[in-house]
Amino acid sequence: MKTQLHPTSRALPLIHALLLSLVFVLPSLVSCNLAAAATKSQSFLPSQNKAKIWGIVPKLIDSSIPKHIIVMGGPASGKGTQCQKLADKYGLVHISSGDLLRQAVSSSEGGPTAPHISTIKQCMEAGKLIPDNLMTRLILDRLRSRDCQERGYILDGYPRTLAQAQSLQDAGISPDVFLLLNVRDEDAIKRVIGRRTDSKTGHVYHLEYNPPPNDPEILKRLIIRSDDTVDSMKVRLKQFRANVASVENWYRDIKREVDGSSSP
């Protein structure tokens, strides 16, 4: 029997193609926008002195492919899937703010956020934003790693507030492109309530769009993330809507929008 793909599943290749065209097929347009932004306002220039404090060494990479990308979208907008595809194709480091938080909560090695683990966990379970200072500390620690400086990066889910965007600039970090994924709230909620995660491999399935294999071992490992509930999603979507305008305005000169729920 022929399998019928849900419109959301069929849309993924189109969304990926749109992202590719926006980021990698139009580098000259991006360069023009960056030049215009630098001329228009000194606020878009990196702060070299502050960058040195964090150990981040800004450097120019001679390439037509943007190496510093921010992707913003609401919960369940497909950020993680599309970011990973772009990262794999072009050798960039995929930095997921959600993954960093889950690693911090589950890590037994402590680290700079160890005293705040309970706060992070409570915020995640309630669907609330992590305090800006904690989230920024995690992101900047990751960005100053050697692989990010050598290969470039895609920031997935950060910055989520204007204060976080300002923190990046203060640290001397200026993205080449800002991509905004647009998905209707009702579609996002439908995506998230059917999501299941393999607790061993981290692979994410969806009961309707991308069902897990009929393997007893895999099925018993599937878990529902604490923030993958309707109530949590409503809180997360409300907070996203409250902050997205200020962040996209901050990056308005390098912004590109993609319809994350469109069908071919």
Side-chain angles (χ1 to χ4, degrees), residues 3-4 7 20 56 181-182 189:
T3 302
Q4 295 294 321
L20 289 175
I56 299 172
L181 282 175
N182 292 316
I189 291 175

Side-chain angles (χ1 to χ4, degrees), residues 68-260:
H68 311 104
I69 303 169
I70 290 175
V71 177
M72 185 176 191
S77 61
K79 299 186 302 296
T81 299
Q82 302 306 329
C83 285
Q84 192 58 54
K85 286 184 177 181
L86 292 175
D88 291 343
K89 186 173 181 65
Y90 294 100
L92 305 175
V93 179
H94 176 200
I95 303 176
S96 165
S97 59
D99 288 347
L100 287 180
L101 289 170
R102 285 184 281 275
Q103 290 168 10
V105 170
S106 62
S107 176
S108 59
E109 299 178 1
T113 58
H116 312 286
I117 293 301
S118 60
T119 299
I120 294 175
K121 189 174 182 180
Q122 290 172 7
C123 289
M124 291 177 67
E125 291 177 346
K128 298 180 180 179
L129 291 178
I130 308 301
D132 288 335
N133 63 324
L134 296 181
M135 196 67 247
T136 297
R137 185 182 304 178
L138 281 172
I139 292 294
L140 291 179
D141 282 348
R142 184 67 184 90
L143 283 175
R144 63 182 177 182
S145 300
R146 180 180 295 273
D147 57 348
C148 291
Q149 297 191 40
E150 292 181 349
R151 294 161 49 194
Y153 56 80
I154 298 181
L155 267 179
D156 166 5
Y158 183 96
R160 298 191 184 194
T161 67
L162 179 59
Q164 292 177 359
Q166 291 170 332
S167 294
L168 283 183
Q169 179 180 293
D170 290 343
I173 299 170
S174 299
D176 301 322
V177 182
F178 174 82
L179 295 177
L180 180 63
L181 282 175
N182 292 316
V183 174
R184 295 178 302 177
D185 288 0
E186 54 267 33
D187 291 336
I189 291 175
K190 188 174 182 180
R191 289 180 184 181
V192 83
I193 60 177
R195 192 157 58 186
R196 299 293 184 272
T197 303
D198 187 321
S199 59
K200 181 178 180 180
T201 66
H203 189 86
V204 179
Y205 300 96
H206 192 281
L207 298 182
E208 183 179 350
Y209 309 148
N210 179 34
N214 190 23
D215 183 327
E217 289 299 316
I218 294 179
L219 293 176
K220 72 180 182 181
R221 295 200 306 257
L222 298 182
I223 60 173
I224 301 175
R225 280 175 20 187
S226 60
D227 54 348
D228 280 354
T229 65
V230 174
D231 290 341
S232 179
M233 272 294 290
K234 289 180 178 179
V235 173
R236 293 163 66 193
L237 286 167
K238 183 178 180 180
Q239 292 181 333
F240 172 74
R241 297 301 177 199
N243 289 284
V244 63
S246 60
V247 177
E248 65 173 309
N249 183 61
W250 182 263
Y251 293 117
R252 60 190 178 277
D253 292 288
I254 55 171
K255 182 184 74 171
R256 302 289 180 270
E257 293 193 45
V258 179
D259 184 354

Side-chain angles (χ1 to χ4, degrees), residues 34-51 58 165-175 250-251 253:
L34 285 172
T39 303
K40 191 174 181 181
S41 171
Q42 290 297 316
S43 66
F44 283 90
L45 295 177
S47 171
Q48 302 291 340
N49 292 333
K50 290 183 179 179
Q166 291 170 332
S167 294
L168 283 183
Q169 179 180 293
D170 290 343
I173 299 170
S174 299
W250 182 263
Y251 293 117
D253 292 288

